[in-house]
Amino acid sequence: MQKMATHIDFIKDITISKMQWKLKVRVVRMWEVPDRFNPDTIFSIKLVLQEEKGDRISASTGKSVLHLFKTQITELGLYNMANFIVCHNKEKFNTTKHRLRLTFTQRTTMAETTDSLFPINIFDLRPYDQLINKVDVNKAELFDVIGEIVNFSEVQTQNQGGISRKFMDIELEDDERKKLSATFWGEFIDEIIPHLLSANNQPIIVVMQLIKANKYQDSYSVRNTWNASKLWINPNFPQSDEFKTRLKVAKMHIFVSLILWFEKGSF
């Protein structure tokens, strides 16, 4: 007897009026949120979930069920998910465009699965045009950017409220030679410095995941936020591989154009 296929819902169809939803999602980002009164203790785990069509929704575990899911879920894992609570998304930063979010309970199930056809386009890449053309950007919205590091500053220190924080200014370039200013804070600096010191003239491609825009004197830059942001260095995903290919083609065109220019100038 042939087994009937399990019904899977779409993220765009999720509403508060119904509770029995079943999703097939990839965890495209997962991070721990420390307790504000006890930073050494984890208060919750937050996730960004993405379905096959690319739509996303955020989810979180409360402290009471943290022990049930902390070791059960892994970033980039693919899961069949059911029995969760749907509520309004009132987070300070919007990790997705969905107006709702999911909350785990003791009844929530996350069954890991495999599907070679399920896409792994995990980045919500923002074109540089939307950031450098001095248009209004929602500072509460988190997004991703990809680029080659073409310039960087020394590590600097900012003192605020008795707390010292280190930062580094980075200049990113896309495959169309458009440049974007970025500021790396904290762990981003620790992660990138070894690559900057040992680059050997090889391009360093980075994806800044779940970052925010910052506006200063009508000019925009991007920076990482605490906890949610992640830095991918020379990653090997379809989206980053496509970017590397476009970048190589663009550089080859520039090289050929320079040769033709010099040859033309020699006559």
Side-chain angles (χ1 to χ4, degrees), residues 34-56:
D35 191 314
R36 58 184 297 188
F37 301 109
N38 186 4
D40 295 329
T41 302
I42 302 173
F43 179 76
S44 68
I45 291 176
K46 294 193 176 184
L47 308 98
V48 177
L49 307 173
Q50 182 172 292
E51 68 179 15
E52 190 171 9
K53 289 186 172 183
D55 289 330
R56 296 179 166 197

Side-chain angles (χ1 to χ4, degrees), residues 4-18:
M4 293 183 63
T6 303
H7 172 75
I8 298 295
D9 296 298
F10 294 119
I11 286 177
K12 68 178 180 63
D13 296 328
I14 292 179
T15 63
I16 281 184
S17 60
K18 173 184 167 184

Side-chain angles (χ1 to χ4, degrees), residues 128 132 145-151 170-182 203-206 243 246-247 250-251 254:
Y128 285 18
I132 61 179
V145 296
I146 188 171
E148 178 185 0
I149 295 179
V150 293
N151 202 359
I170 301 284
E171 188 174 48
L172 300 176
E173 187 174 273
D174 66 7
D175 55 296
E176 297 179 349
R177 304 201 73 187
K178 294 171 183 170
K179 291 181 172 58
L180 178 66
S181 297
I204 301 176
I205 309 299
V206 297
F243 176 81
R246 294 195 306 270
L247 195 62
K251 288 183 176 181
I254 294 171

